[in-house]
Amino acid sequence: MAKTLAINAGSSTLKWKLFSMPEETVIASGMVDRLNLPGSIFKVKLPDGKKIVDTQDNITNELAAAMVLTRLKSYGIVKHLSEITGVGHRIVAGGEVFKDSAVITPIVLKQIKELKDYAPLHNPVQAYYIEVFQQLLPEAKQVAVFDTSLYAEMPAVNYMYSIPYEYYDKLGARKYGAHGTSHRYVAHRTAEILGKPLAELKLITLHLGSGSSITAFDHGQALDTSMGFTPLAGVMMGTRSGDIDASLVAFLAEKLKKTMPEMIDILNHKSGLLGISELSPDQRDLEKTQDERPKSKLALDMFVNRVVRYVGSYIAELNGVDAIVFTAGSGENGVEMRQAIADKLNYFGIAIDPAKNDFRGEEHIVSPDDGRIKVLVVPTNEELMIVRDVERLTK
């Protein structure tokens, strides 16, 4: 029985799932959180459903990868590491180089490293994990799955910026998007739920979490997406500003005596819900305090406002829509947030049944039975898309 490991590495986390293929059955899963920090956490869910949580200070990236494999053996999930025949790695930025997932070769790995400017927090660490798992599992076939590949062939009218064209030609300055693996899964799963081919549907998928992005699908093809050259652009997020006037950034840099890297850091890590609320980037914290703290309510209202703007513009781009789909942390669990967004889109015929919407983290159609536009909640499954691509490219 072949086993495939899906690796989803962030700047401070390592998430993983082990699948039996081609059955697509999850054997075990887990994550290492707070990497390189005091109180690093190793979590694993065993085949019998039992959960184990260990805490250890300063787990490094290399140690995290080794721990995943050694624990798989020590817990009896695999007898020999040779049972793992494939490893799929989520890579944030593929630029225009990678229009599809790719089997990892020395050339592919070099190209991933060279694309670091497009995702400086992610590509270097993800390339590092590729090298570590190549050493730990030398016989396994390794595949890179790019968040940006979904958007590589968007219409130029949507991916181009209105700046001198030579900056695109010489420097690759264009919209690349992000969260493509999540949006791809959600779009395909929505088509299955609705019982229609994806090629017959117009969809808008809302990946709303700490990082948030919105994608418009026109008959199976990505038409437009909210994130831009980097994941900083688009809607307001937990700590990211989303869209902002570039002149304001220059103004603030001058007034605050900040360098441009310092300003980008502020826009990435100190803005969004956190910056406005001056309390937390977590919507749950803001919902609990919105009645007592006007800034908490303002942050939530702004988030809804920005999402509604994008959805409305995408309905216009698509010339109508068949379904709106919520996913990711807030999208899957934010009962009040989903309702607030739908209420603002009621003019388009978008509505949510409050009784159907009263749940968290499950797959549901939440629009009224007679709703012209379907509204769904579909938990994302990036790891499943990753192992499917491993299967597709290595068999």
Side-chain angles (χ1 to χ4, degrees), residues 14-328:
L14 175 64
K15 300 177 184 177
W16 59 273
K17 281 186 181 178
L18 183 67
F19 289 78
S20 171
M21 298 299 287
E23 300 88 354
E24 298 184 350
T25 304
V26 177
I27 302 171
S29 62
M31 70 177 297
V32 190
D33 199 4
R34 294 179 54 84
L35 287 169
N36 303 298
L37 293 170
S40 302
I41 302 169
F42 185 94
K43 303 177 183 177
V44 61
K45 184 177 181 181
L46 302 176
D48 62 2
K50 181 181 178 182
K51 297 180 181 179
I52 298 173
V53 180
D54 291 333
T55 302
Q56 179 177 326
D57 285 340
N58 303 307
I59 297 177
T60 64
N61 300 79
E62 185 173 12
L63 178 58
M67 286 176 70
V68 170
L69 298 181
T70 56
R71 298 294 176 90
L72 287 176
K73 286 190 68 177
S74 65
Y75 295 145
I77 299 168
V78 298
K79 292 182 179 179
H80 304 284
L81 292 181
S82 59
E83 296 173 29
I84 302 173
T85 58
V87 183
H89 299 264
R90 176 207 172 204
I91 308 296
V92 168
E96 289 193 306
V97 178
F98 296 101
K99 300 185 188 304
D100 191 6
S101 302
V103 175
I104 296 169
T105 64
I107 292 175
V108 168
L109 180 58
K110 179 174 180 289
Q111 290 170 317
I112 290 170
K113 292 178 179 179
E114 290 172 347
L115 289 164
K116 67 180 185 301
D117 288 344
Y118 301 101
L121 297 179
H122 294 90
N123 269 43
V125 70
Q126 289 163 347
Y128 176 78
Y129 275 116
I130 289 172
E131 293 177 315
V132 171
F133 278 99
Q134 283 179 330
Q135 293 172 4
L136 297 174
L137 297 171
E139 301 302 318
K141 296 177 181 177
Q142 314 255 346
V143 171
V145 179
F146 299 92
D147 270 357
T148 53
S149 63
L150 177 67
Y151 309 112
E153 296 184 345
M154 281 195 309
V157 68
N158 286 331
Y159 71 67
M160 288 293 296
Y161 290 111
S162 48
I163 56 178
Y165 195 93
E166 65 177 315
Y167 300 161
Y168 167 67
D169 267 348
K170 296 178 180 178
L171 301 173
R174 57 158 283 181
K175 178 188 286 191
Y176 289 104
H179 295 149
T181 309
S182 173
H183 286 287
R184 185 158 56 103
Y185 171 79
V186 170
H188 282 275
R189 180 61 189 143
T190 297
E192 292 175 357
I193 294 169
L194 297 180
K196 295 183 178 180
L198 183 58
E200 294 181 7
L201 294 170
K202 296 180 180 181
L203 304 176
I204 299 174
T205 52
L206 288 73
H207 179 110
L208 306 179
S210 177
S212 297
S213 62
I214 302 173
T215 294
F217 287 90
D218 188 4
H219 298 94
Q221 299 299 312
L223 175 70
D224 206 348
T225 194
S226 59
M227 284 183 166
F229 179 71
T230 73
L232 176 57
V235 299
M236 179 182 183
M237 304 175 221
T239 62
R240 296 177 191 148
S241 65
D243 294 336
I244 189 170
D245 185 338
S247 295
L248 176 58
V249 181
F251 169 84
L252 292 173
E254 179 182 353
K255 296 298 183 183
L256 299 173
K257 309 300 183 191
K258 300 288 186 182
T259 65
M260 193 54 64
E262 288 173 330
M263 284 305 306
I264 296 299
D265 182 72
I266 290 170
L267 296 177
N268 267 308
H269 301 294
K270 300 176 182 178
S271 301
L273 295 174
L274 174 63
I276 294 297
S277 70
E278 298 184 328
L279 176 68
S280 172
D282 193 314
Q283 290 186 21
R284 293 168 294 187
D285 294 335
L286 305 185
E287 288 175 354
K288 291 176 183 175
T289 59
Q290 62 180 324
D291 292 336
E292 297 82 34
R293 298 186 75 258
K295 289 179 182 177
S296 294
K297 186 176 188 308
L298 175 61
L300 291 170
D301 289 346
M302 287 176 64
F303 179 80
V304 170
N305 172 271
R306 302 315 193 254
V307 171
V308 167
R309 285 185 191 180
Y310 265 97
V311 174
S313 68
Y314 287 171
I315 291 174
E317 274 197 82
L318 288 165
N319 194 27
V321 68
D322 297 303
I324 306 290
V325 194
F326 291 93
T327 194

Side-chain angles (χ1 to χ4, degrees), residues 341-377:
I341 291 171
D343 288 346
K344 293 287 186 181
L345 295 166
N346 193 250
Y347 175 82
F348 294 104
I350 295 169
I352 282 180
D353 182 329
K356 291 184 177 182
N357 188 46
D358 190 19
F359 72 94
R360 301 179 189 275
E362 299 175 12
E363 191 174 273
H364 279 286
I365 296 176
V366 295
S367 48
D369 292 340
D370 60 353
R372 180 170 57 84
I373 296 173
K374 297 297 182 184
V375 183
L376 299 87
V377 178

Side-chain angles (χ1 to χ4, degrees), residues 100-103 141 143-145 388-395:
D100 191 6
S101 302
V103 175
K141 296 177 181 177
V143 171
V145 179
R388 284 178 176 174
D389 280 359
V390 174
E391 189 81 1
R392 172 171 62 88
L393 293 172
T394 61
K395 300 302 178 184

